[in-house]
Amino acid sequence: EKSRAQVGFSAMPTRNYNRTTRYTGSAYESIEYDPGVRWNFAPQAMAWLEFSENASARLFYRGNTSQPSISKLMSVPDVSNPLSVSFGNAYLNPYFSHDIHADYRYNNRKNFSSMNIRFEGSYVKDPIVNAIWYGNKGAQYSMPFNGPASMRANMFSFLNAPIAKSNFSFSNMLRLSYSNSGYYVGDAIDMTKYYGGDYYGFIDDFLGKYRDNLASGFVTNSTTTFGATE
């Protein structure tokens, strides 16, 4: 039996400074958002296992911290599509993802049998998702928030085996997939200031009310999918 393993870790400091200058209708004002230095952590691990001359396995893991993009942090409305307006959120936090890949291989050249199993999955903590609501004029509005954890997994297997001592063989292929994610949907959001042209006043009031208490006006919608192919 032979095996090898490798472990690594990296940490990189980043600093996102966001300054937005906006016109309120009577004067220009600047809004600054500086969360200070944040660290991007990226642990890694790899393992190779050889059980015999016919069988082996590999395992890979990677973790990574990601920062929200500047466009999502800018607290200005994007009205390029009047029917789907999006706002930035300067208070977004980084999110962390775990990714794993593994495979097992078996190949017997004497009896012409083989098997391959592959697996991959990911888990994201505090992902950036949209909070969505609709105004009374039919348009959709959205703002990014750190949301519920999301996960994804896929498995693929292939088997080929001879049938007794005949010239025939049996083959089978199987695929399985699973995913789960969530987002927020709001109702009866007060759009009075926005409809009155006070876009930034609306954003300030919205974040002041829902920044730390999104559940007071939004519900979590979860989407789960499962697939199988044989």
Side-chain angles (χ1 to χ4, degrees), residues 153-155 174-179 224-230:
N154 294 286
M155 191 276 287
L174 175 65
R175 295 179 185 268
L176 299 175
S177 63
Y178 169 84
S179 66
T224 301
T225 60
F226 179 81
T229 304
E230 187 176 18

Side-chain angles (χ1 to χ4, degrees), residues 53-201:
E53 64 178 6
N54 298 327
S56 64
R58 297 181 299 176
L59 175 66
F60 301 91
Y61 165 80
R62 177 180 174 84
N64 187 56
T65 304
S66 301
Q67 306 291 335
S69 65
I70 293 297
S71 61
K72 292 185 180 296
L73 292 170
M74 295 177 61
S75 56
V76 295
D78 179 359
V79 295
S80 56
N81 182 356
L83 295 179
S84 180
V85 179
S86 60
F87 305 92
N89 183 353
Y91 301 101
L92 292 173
N93 293 317
Y95 56 96
F96 193 87
S97 59
H98 304 269
D99 294 283
I100 186 171
H101 300 264
D103 71 74
Y104 173 81
R105 299 181 182 183
Y106 175 84
N107 185 22
N108 191 322
R109 297 182 180 179
K110 293 182 180 180
N111 61 11
F112 302 101
S113 63
S114 62
M115 180 173 62
N116 190 330
I117 301 175
R118 295 200 306 266
F119 172 83
E120 63 175 11
S122 66
Y123 177 87
V124 183
K125 183 178 182 297
D126 299 324
I128 296 177
V129 302
N130 278 329
I132 300 172
W133 69 97
Y134 292 88
N136 55 22
K137 296 184 179 181
Q140 174 184 287
Y141 302 90
S142 64
M143 181 180 289
F145 280 84
N146 290 98
S150 64
M151 61 187 70
R152 174 187 59 84
N154 294 286
M155 191 276 287
F156 168 82
S157 68
F158 175 79
L159 171 66
N160 183 76
I163 300 176
K165 296 183 179 181
S166 67
N167 293 325
F168 297 95
S169 63
F170 169 80
S171 296
N172 179 266
M173 182 181 67
L174 175 65
R175 295 179 185 268
L176 299 175
S177 63
Y178 169 84
S179 66
N180 178 267
S181 60
Y183 60 97
Y184 301 109
V185 178
D187 186 28
I189 305 301
D190 186 2
M191 303 287 292
T192 304
K193 284 190 175 182
Y194 182 85
Y195 292 145
D198 187 4
Y199 304 139
Y200 302 113

